[in-house]
Amino acid sequence: MRRLLCLLLILLVWPRPAFAQTDPPQWLERKTSYISILYPQGSEAEAERYAGYSDPIYEEVTAVIGYRPAPPLTLRIYPTKELYQQVNPAARYLEGIVAHAHTGRREISIAVQQTIGMSDEELRNNVRHELMHIIAAELSDGRLSTMWQEGIAQYVEVPTSQSGYKIALLKQALENNQLAPWRTLDSAGAVYDNPALGYPQSWSMVSFLIQRYGMARFLAFLEALRTASGYRSALSQAYSLSAESLESEWMAQLPTWIDGGWKQAPSVAFDQASIETAIAAGQYSEALAAAETALTIKDDPAIAALREQARKGVQAEDAAAAARVALLEGRYAEAKTSIEQALPLFADLAQIERQKVLNDYLQRAEQGLKAQQLLETARRDLNGIRIVAARKNIEQAANLFSQLGDSNGRSQAEELLKSLNLRLKIVGIGLIVLVGLGLAWNIDRRRAMRKRMLPL
């Protein structure tokens, strides 16, 4: 007991490390279109530097993957090692940790002090890598193991001198028969226990699956993990092949991949099926971004043709959206013009359901135009004192506006009807006055005639 008390006393008075005494910084914010960059005072230059990286990297990575996490995401800059180690204690014991992703908060943390000496592309790769961790976690509902997480995060990086170093390590492991079976590498801590092998091997595995079977299948694998019992079951669901078969295929092609296949840029230019799938699903913006990214790396006529389809789809969607807004605001002529622009585009894309919706919009636009024309005719009828015709046109217009749910148009019709009723009222009063005056004059005239006819 005495020893326990002495130990507690020592812990209480023992000097604390300097990092524990560091006051938490006051975070400032620098926003981009997709990223909220948080940084302490004094790190403005670094914040601006990463602000220049963030949006292009977001567009690039999401185009490759075919999935866009909802913005904003957070990128937090830690200017000192001590501050960074408070949020990532593993960095105290493992060399080379310069960034990490908190997938639950959708936050990327950068240890700026540890990135000193890195090339500009290596700094960008840090952001690509951690952003991919966030995307992979979202797609798999947080059930993607380290082996696959690190593999896909490396896949979206741009090759640098560090990539060549990893390939050399992997080649040595292959020659010495030191590669880990997938089941072994997937066990807890295996990648981090031997990162010199775990990282390049996991990269080669993901690259194999994507280059051989396409990005769409790999995304299906990630999504299957949400409900699968493990990665082996998810692979079987996504690829219709056993994990053992896929592992054998990976091993067979690994020498070729090491000899240069790894240099194949991570682009959907090699995944035509993903773009076609996006177009078929009506995801034209995503398909267009993916096709344009692919074509910057490799000129492919098939991808160029898909890009034109996607561009046509974006134009059709924009026109359809403009039509919806115009209909809601009662701008029926503009709505009709937009619909007539969108219909042939959707016809070329064989989007039958979208054509049906737009044809319904077209009927509504024509109905609204008819109601507006009836009101204009009623106004002219009122000016020409054609009261009966004006009332009929106003009532028809009000009924059409009601069917369209156009309260503003119906209000105009009701105001015009009030104006008509007021005119009728004025006219009625005028007629009564005229009749009264006529009767008075007639009575007066008869009295005068009667006086002249009386005998003297």
Side-chain angles (χ1 to χ4, degrees):
M1 183 67 178
R2 182 177 297 174
R3 288 181 180 178
L4 179 58
L5 290 174
C6 290
L7 179 59
L8 289 173
L9 180 60
I10 290 171
L11 291 174
L12 288 172
V13 300
W14 193 268
R16 284 169 172 69
F19 62 82
Q21 297 174 359
T22 304
D23 292 332
Q26 296 297 315
W27 297 103
L28 305 175
E29 184 177 29
R30 166 70 164 88
K31 290 184 177 181
T32 70
S33 297
Y34 305 112
I35 310 293
S36 173
I37 299 172
L38 303 181
Y39 63 96
Q41 190 168 9
S43 297
E44 287 78 7
E46 287 296 334
E48 285 304 315
R49 185 180 196 178
Y50 280 97
Y53 294 161
S54 297
D55 283 355
I57 288 174
Y58 178 93
E59 292 283 2
E60 170 195 326
V61 172
T62 57
V64 169
I65 299 302
Y67 175 81
R68 296 168 73 91
L73 281 71
T74 301
L75 189 152
R76 195 181 298 267
I77 293 173
Y78 292 89
T80 67
K81 180 186 290 188
E82 290 74 22
L83 276 175
Y84 182 69
Q85 288 176 348
Q86 288 183 41
V87 296
N88 189 7
R92 299 179 197 142
Y93 313 108
L94 296 175
E95 291 296 325
I97 296 181
V98 299
H100 73 278
H102 192 300
T103 57
R105 292 202 303 261
R106 306 194 326 147
E107 178 175 305
I108 298 169
S109 297
I110 303 289
V112 172
Q113 194 175 30
Q114 282 92 310
T115 64
I116 294 173
M118 285 188 169
S119 69
D120 193 60
E121 200 62 74
E122 287 171 336
L123 294 177
R124 291 172 180 269
N125 273 342
N126 292 337
V127 180
R128 292 183 181 104
H129 188 105
E130 305 307 333
L131 172 60
M132 190 61 241
H133 280 320
I134 292 173
I135 293 173
E138 282 197 12
L139 288 169
S140 65
D141 199 20
R143 300 192 64 187
L144 192 63
S145 66
T146 302
M147 173 175 72
W148 300 109
Q149 269 283 12
E150 296 303 340
I152 187 61
Q154 291 172 92
Y155 176 78
V156 299
E157 294 179 13
V158 171
T160 63
S161 59
Q162 188 67 22
S163 306
Y165 173 68
K166 292 179 184 178
I167 294 300
L169 291 173
L170 186 63
K171 183 177 182 180
Q172 183 180 8
L174 176 62
E175 291 172 349
N176 296 330
N177 197 28
Q178 294 175 334
L179 294 175
W182 286 13
R183 189 188 295 273
T184 300
L185 193 61
D186 190 61
S187 59
V191 172
Y192 298 143
D193 287 343
N194 187 7
L197 173 61
Y199 272 78
Q201 180 173 331
S202 62
W203 172 26
S204 72
M205 291 159 52
V206 170
S207 290
F208 155 71
L209 289 175
I210 295 174
Q211 291 176 4
R212 175 69 61 86
Y213 294 103
M215 182 62 75
R217 288 277 189 93
F218 191 77
L219 294 184
F221 162 59
L222 297 183
E223 292 173 353
L225 282 166
R226 296 178 178 181
T227 55
S229 58
Y231 84 88
R232 305 175 74 79
S233 173
L235 284 175
S236 179
Q237 290 180 44
Y239 292 93
S240 300
L241 291 168
S242 68
E244 290 80 8
S245 296
L246 292 170
E247 187 171 358
S248 296
E249 289 184 18
W250 160 75
M251 180 63 80
Q253 61 80 53
L254 187 57
T256 302
W257 188 82
I258 290 174
D259 286 342
W262 64 273
K263 296 179 181 178
Q264 182 172 295
S267 168
V268 289
F270 307 102
D271 191 12
Q272 181 177 334
S274 294
I275 303 176
E276 292 172 342
T277 299
I279 290 174
Q283 298 169 346
Y284 301 113
S285 296
E286 290 82 352
L288 180 59
E292 288 180 340
T293 300
L295 289 170
T296 62
I297 298 172
K298 180 182 177 182
D299 188 17
D300 186 330
I303 299 297
L306 289 175
R307 178 183 61 182
E308 294 311 307
Q309 286 189 50
R311 185 172 290 157
K312 188 179 293 185
V314 169
Q315 293 173 353
E317 290 286 7
D318 289 345
R324 285 193 293 270
V325 173
L327 280 174
L328 290 172
E329 296 179 353
R331 295 181 282 111
Y332 299 109
E334 293 179 34
K336 185 177 180 181
T337 299
S338 296
I339 293 165
E340 289 172 345
Q341 290 173 356
L343 272 172
L345 294 173
F346 280 127
D348 289 345
L349 293 165
Q351 288 284 5
I352 298 174
E353 291 302 318
R354 303 307 302 277
Q355 291 178 69
K356 290 179 180 178
V357 172
L358 283 179
N359 280 323
D360 180 61
Y361 285 175
L362 184 59
Q363 291 180 6
R364 293 173 64 82
E366 290 174 343
Q367 189 175 350
L369 283 172
K370 181 178 179 182
Q372 290 177 339
Q373 291 166 0
L374 286 169
L375 279 189
E376 287 302 315
T377 302
R379 290 188 180 98
R380 291 195 297 270
D381 289 340
L382 284 177
N383 291 333
I385 321 180
R386 298 177 59 196
I387 304 299
V388 175
R391 179 184 290 279
K392 180 180 179 181
N393 288 331
I394 292 170
E395 289 174 347
Q396 287 183 5
N399 184 47
L400 289 173
F401 283 131
S402 294
Q403 293 176 20
L404 291 168
D406 187 343
S407 57
N408 184 53
R410 182 171 177 81
S411 295
Q412 292 182 36
E414 290 172 348
E415 287 298 320
L416 195 58
L417 188 60
K418 288 180 182 178
S419 175
L420 182 149
N421 289 334
L422 180 61
R423 290 193 184 193
L424 287 176
K425 186 175 181 180
I426 292 171
V427 169
I429 293 172
L431 287 174
I432 291 172
V433 170
L434 286 175
V435 170
L437 290 173
L439 288 173
W441 177 80
N442 190 41
I443 291 170
D444 185 65
R445 186 173 65 84
R446 288 185 178 183
R447 284 177 179 173
M449 290 179 62
R450 198 175 290 159
K451 285 181 181 179
R452 286 198 299 269
M453 293 174 63
L454 289 174
L456 297 174

